[in-house]
Amino acid sequence: MDKLPFSFFLFLVCCYSHFASAQCYNALFNFGDSLSDTGNVVLAGLPYGMTYFGHHTGRCSDGRLIIDFIAEGIGLPHLPPNTASNASFHSGANFAFIAAPALSFDFFHRRGLSQGLHVNASLHEQIDRFQKLLPSICGSPQGLSTGAIFRPANSLLDSCRIPLAECRDFLSKSLLVIGEFGGNDYNTGLFGGWSITKVSSFVPHVTRAVAEGIERLIGLGAVDLIVPSVLPVGCFPLYLTLYQSSDPTEYGRRTGCLRRFNALSWYHNAALRRQLDRFRKKYPAVSIRYADFYAQLFDFVINPLKYGESRASNY
């Protein structure tokens, strides 16, 4: 990913947030899939890591990811994967896993799609890991020794336990990035032979799972969240190869992307934005920012010269 100009990533970050100049954060926490996993699933060998780190780091990239640029932009170190041993998580942690879906494996098992599953690390399981790690990050020595970091939940806002003042204060000064989520859920159905129409029925389930995850994090004390959209997958080389068509109307006139697959992404993003709008009204003291990766990647496809690439480049 480092082969794309830094200005592209800066544009992605700044277009939906001005946090770098307006806010000082204690920590950065990330939940997601291969777009932001920094080592929970280790990918070895070249080209992984070759353009920046000089060695593989577990990132699904030849260099840095967008979450790395966000961390640099707010003056924090690159996020260690939450599975790292002997790592300090006081400045943040990454709970993303390559191939992670938003939904639980059980959702796909019930639909006969078990073969398309790879990593049992749904959004809610990532948040479970986050909750287990929190006491070691923001709890006092006394609280850790007595186990008095959390009190029992008394509402559906948090499905497990709610942190006491120490952790709530810590999270109120932290930035959380949730997603993107959904791409692997839809891939599981599409690569399992389901039609786009059938896979589109996943959208309410996926966006509801993301919304429930956001609400869990708010219940834990998060007040500053970024929620990215899914990408226009009809522009991905994999989809263009697997689902190529002789019908020119299947493709966008300006982009050359597969319109029906981008329509699925658009449907997801519209449903996700409705969920976020609902939360902004419900939690007016919480900042929930939508990161429109969909629109920005479209602009990159349509105007590659603006980002220092030629139209002949392959992505």
Side-chain angles (χ1 to χ4, degrees):
M1 186 170 282
D2 254 69
K3 70 188 294 186
L4 301 185
F6 178 77
S7 59
F8 174 62
F9 295 99
L10 189 62
F11 182 54
L12 278 175
V13 171
C14 292
C15 70
Y16 61 82
S17 166
H18 57 277
F19 54 79
S21 60
Q23 177 70 50
C24 181
Y25 294 103
N26 286 335
L28 171 66
F29 296 99
N30 181 72
F31 308 84
D33 58 16
S34 60
L35 295 184
S36 59
D37 183 358
T38 55
N40 282 317
V41 177
V42 177
L43 296 171
L46 298 178
Y48 301 110
M50 63 184 290
T51 65
Y52 182 80
F53 299 99
H55 58 86
H56 68 83
T57 63
R59 289 164 174 79
C60 206
S61 168
D62 61 348
R64 289 168 289 181
L65 305 174
I66 292 175
I67 193 65
D68 294 315
F69 288 98
I70 292 175
E72 292 171 10
I74 59 177
L76 291 174
H78 292 157
L79 292 183
N82 78 280
T83 54
S85 58
N86 301 319
S88 172
F89 301 113
H90 288 85
S91 295
N94 196 336
F95 299 87
F97 278 77
I98 291 172
L103 298 167
S104 69
F105 271 20
D106 184 59
F107 176 88
F108 300 102
H109 288 318
R110 293 197 306 268
R111 290 162 176 77
L113 293 170
S114 301
Q115 289 187 343
L117 303 173
H118 302 287
V119 178
N120 191 14
S122 68
L123 171 57
H124 284 281
E125 296 201 5
Q126 292 182 29
I127 296 174
D128 287 344
R129 290 172 177 263
F130 177 58
Q131 283 190 264
K132 291 176 182 176
L133 186 65
L134 262 184
S136 67
I137 298 173
C138 52
S140 66
Q142 180 181 4
L144 286 171
S145 64
T146 62
I149 300 297
F150 294 90
R151 62 179 172 82
N154 57 9
S155 74
L156 293 178
L157 190 65
D158 171 40
S159 63
C160 296
R161 300 173 296 167
I162 298 176
L164 296 178
E166 277 180 315
C167 284
R168 295 187 70 84
D169 181 66
F170 179 82
L171 288 179
S172 74
K173 299 181 179 72
S174 299
L175 177 65
L176 284 75
V177 181
I178 302 95
E180 62 88 52
F181 277 101
N184 291 312
D185 301 83
Y186 306 131
N187 286 346
T188 299
L190 291 170
F191 298 161
W194 284 36
S195 68
I196 287 186
T197 301
K198 287 185 69 175
V199 172
S200 294
S201 68
F202 294 2
V203 170
H205 301 278
V206 171
T207 53
R208 188 182 309 119
V210 174
E212 290 170 351
I214 292 170
E215 198 157 28
R216 282 184 66 186
L217 293 168
I218 293 172
L220 290 169
V223 298
D224 207 339
L225 306 98
I226 293 174
V227 185
S229 69
V230 296
L231 297 162
V233 295
C235 299
F236 287 12
L238 178 62
Y239 281 80
L240 289 165
T241 301
L242 291 177
Y243 302 104
Q244 58 186 300
S245 171
S246 59
D247 182 358
T249 64
E250 288 276 332
Y251 298 90
R253 182 177 59 83
R254 297 180 66 195
T255 64
C257 302
L258 286 163
R259 298 171 62 187
R260 56 197 174 111
F261 290 99
N262 284 346
L264 172 61
S265 297
W266 186 91
Y267 176 37
H268 167 100
N269 292 336
L272 178 63
R273 295 187 77 160
R274 286 194 294 271
Q275 294 281 10
L276 301 185
D277 288 340
R278 179 171 64 87
F279 282 157
R280 291 187 186 108
K281 295 175 182 177
K282 187 174 181 179
Y283 305 107
V286 176
S287 172
I288 304 174
R289 287 167 284 191
Y290 175 73
D292 196 350
F293 286 6
Y294 183 98
Q296 297 309 320
L297 186 60
F298 244 115
D299 190 58
F300 182 75
V301 172
I302 295 171
N303 301 300
L305 297 179
K306 185 165 73 174
Y307 301 102
E309 298 295 331
S310 71
R311 292 190 179 278
S313 296
N314 294 317
Y315 288 95

